[in-house]
Amino acid sequence: MELSGSAFTCPRPANKRSWLYRILPSVKHKPFCPAPRGHLTDTWDQVKPDPNQMRWLPFTIPASSETQVDFVAGLHTLCGAGDTRTRSGIAIHVYTCNTSMVDRCFNNSDGDFLIVPQQGELLITTEFGKMLVEPNEICVIQAGMRFSVDVSGPSRGYVLEVYGAHFELPDLGPIGANGLANPRDFLCPAAWYEDREVSTGYTVINKYQGALFTSQQDYSPFNVVGWHGNYTPYKYHLENFMVINSVAFDHADPSIFTVLTARSTRPGVAIADFVIFPPRWSVADRTFRPPYYHRNCMSEFMGLIKGHYEAKAEGFQPGGGSLHSIMTPHGPDTDCFEKNTTSTLEPERVAEGTMAFMFESSFSMAVTKWGLETCQRLDKSYSQCWENLRSHFNPNWRPSKQ
């Protein structure tokens, strides 16, 4: 069976396909039927637009003693934009689950999933083989690939979904041949299969045009004995990222921290970038070193895998998130500003023991009703972190003579 991730006639560098050698072809199944989709959505007009800065407290993981929730049932759409039918857009989801998928697998016909575990490891079985993905690692499951997720306990994380494009490494330009995420560090699974009949029925869940459908079959879909090709799932450990930074003065833009990008049709503009802020040295002289205050033509969603984010040491917690919409001001909180305008500018390690990340998009994203109301995790006091900023301007100040 061939699995195509691009049109047959795409230029060879962009042509994506793999051949899967199956015990039974995947066409052997009962018809798809509509299924409840819970809080998974691609409807972006559930609530009125809101340009305010938003921050969420850590999303609640359901207690296994109260209800059993697997990866698919635990998907909740937080925000997004665009359209699955025209295959142009983005969605940001969180997952909170406590049990493994049993005789169930998931298939996304709408786009690619970039999965960022925050708590709990994921053992992901795909048609190409198995991947163990732990916090501080990511994985990408591309459109059309069937997978099932096993967990060992309470689990939480983030999902970036893009419609109609695939993630790829950003161009390096004048950086040269080396730097950022290196191709050799991306790992694909080795072939693994099971020749297993399921007399009680195996459920294939298909996400199609934003809705969920289920189909029954009497065998495991993970019956691929071997495969070859360049359209595969893969994972990457964030500690392998080669950080580029300013070593003199001023800031480089956060695009230097881009791990993967999903390009739009406009040159240099992404549907979505996946950006990280790993441990690194900060040595810039005559510079306010934390992330600068910003109004951006892009939307910025941030999450925290572990530690404390340097621009907001309090309030922004692992397992939570923040959204700064297009042209909405954002930046370091008052405590961060006061500390970093009075500290001595010496070489220092920043973000030690921390991993924050950003999903940045050229789309103007709408927040879902679940994100604004139902989840009850929206931090309505967020804007207060800037209220005590004060002016330090002195028109009589002159630089000291060297």
Side-chain angles (χ1 to χ4, degrees):
M1 186 203 88
E2 184 178 23
L3 180 62
S4 295
S6 64
F8 294 142
T9 52
C10 274
R12 184 165 291 193
N15 208 300
K16 304 292 183 184
R17 59 86 179 105
S18 286
W19 284 95
L20 286 73
Y21 299 94
R22 319 187 71 100
I23 295 171
L24 272 174
S26 53
V27 72
K28 184 180 185 295
H29 65 82
K30 302 293 184 183
F32 284 102
C33 300
R37 60 179 179 178
H39 295 289
L40 197 63
T41 185
D42 68 339
T43 302
W44 311 123
D45 58 359
Q46 298 174 342
V47 293
K48 293 181 179 179
D50 187 345
N52 285 303
Q53 303 97 340
M54 296 183 191
R55 182 168 69 188
W56 288 269
L57 301 172
F59 296 98
T60 304
I61 303 174
S64 57
S65 59
E66 298 176 2
T67 181
Q68 299 285 302
V69 180
D70 67 17
F71 177 83
V72 175
L75 283 170
H76 303 77
T77 306
L78 193 62
C79 56
D83 182 51
T84 55
R85 293 174 178 85
T86 59
R87 303 187 73 189
S88 176
I90 178 178
I92 294 174
H93 317 281
V94 296
Y95 69 84
T96 54
C97 58
N98 55 32
T99 194
S100 299
M101 297 173 66
V102 178
D103 290 340
R104 283 160 52 93
C105 72
F106 184 74
N107 169 91
N108 187 359
S109 297
D110 293 332
D112 291 10
F113 267 9
L114 188 156
I115 302 173
V116 185
Q118 185 273 318
Q119 178 177 327
E121 64 184 28
L122 305 179
L123 179 58
I124 302 177
T125 301
T126 76
E127 296 170 282
F128 295 78
K130 293 176 178 282
M131 297 188 297
L132 180 65
V133 187
E134 301 175 306
N136 228 34
E137 293 183 311
I138 63 164
C139 72
V140 172
I141 310 291
Q142 303 194 76
M145 298 176 180
R146 295 180 175 180
F147 67 98
S148 183
V149 178
D150 287 352
V151 299
S152 56
S155 300
R156 176 173 55 204
Y158 312 84
V159 179
L160 172 59
E161 180 182 13
V162 293
Y163 313 145
H166 298 303
F167 291 102
E168 57 186 280
L169 291 171
D171 292 330
L172 294 179
I175 292 175
N178 303 288
L180 310 188
N182 290 305
R184 68 173 184 269
D185 294 319
F186 289 83
L187 305 177
C188 299
W192 177 91
Y193 74 95
E194 58 179 7
D195 185 8
R196 179 167 67 93
E197 294 184 358
V198 186
S199 58
T200 55
Y202 197 105
T203 302
V204 177
I205 306 165
N206 182 15
K207 180 176 177 291
Y208 175 74
Q209 294 188 4
L212 294 186
F213 299 83
T214 58
S215 173
Q216 296 295 312
Q217 58 189 51
D218 59 4
Y219 64 96
S220 168
F222 305 120
N223 63 351
V224 177
V225 178
W227 63 266
H228 72 84
N230 62 356
Y231 189 55
T232 71
Y234 55 87
K235 76 170 195 171
Y236 175 77
H237 201 299
L238 301 181
E239 289 184 358
N240 290 325
F241 188 79
M242 178 182 166
V243 182
I244 304 292
N245 209 351
S246 169
V247 295
F249 61 91
D250 284 353
H251 277 272
D253 291 321
S255 51
I256 61 170
F257 301 116
T258 301
V259 179
L260 291 168
T261 186
R263 301 176 193 271
S264 74
T265 56
R266 290 178 288 165
V269 179
I271 293 174
D273 287 327
F274 173 61
V275 181
I276 63 173
F277 303 98
R280 60 199 182 277
W281 283 99
S282 181
V283 299
D285 197 15
R286 307 189 307 280
T287 301
F288 179 69
R289 290 178 177 176
Y292 45 71
Y293 294 97
H294 197 199
R295 297 206 313 269
N296 194 358
C297 64
M298 309 280 275
S299 300
E300 302 179 19
F301 174 86
M302 285 197 62
L304 186 61
I305 298 171
K306 61 179 181 177
H308 300 275
Y309 180 52
E310 57 190 295
K312 297 179 182 70
E314 303 296 332
F316 186 53
Q317 302 175 42
S322 68
L323 176 65
H324 300 136
S325 296
I326 287 177
M327 294 304 176
T328 295
H330 54 278
D333 62 18
T334 303
D335 290 342
C336 178
F337 178 84
E338 295 294 340
K339 175 184 175 182
N340 285 276
T341 51
T342 57
S343 60
T344 303
L345 289 180
E346 298 176 335
E348 62 176 331
R349 290 285 290 176
V350 297
E352 200 67 59
T354 290
M355 187 62 75
F357 69 87
M358 179 168 66
F359 299 152
E360 185 177 59
S361 175
S362 58
F363 282 83
S364 183
M365 292 190 286
V367 181
T368 62
K369 184 177 180 180
W370 182 85
L372 279 179
E373 301 172 8
T374 310
C375 72
Q376 298 184 349
R377 305 307 289 163
L378 188 66
D379 182 358
K380 296 181 179 180
S381 67
Y382 182 30
S383 63
Q384 296 176 11
C385 75
W386 295 290
E387 285 186 354
N388 292 325
L389 287 170
R390 57 189 177 87
S391 172
H392 292 264
F393 177 67
N394 178 0
N396 298 314
W397 180 87
R398 297 292 183 273
S400 60
K401 295 181 179 179
Q402 300 296 325

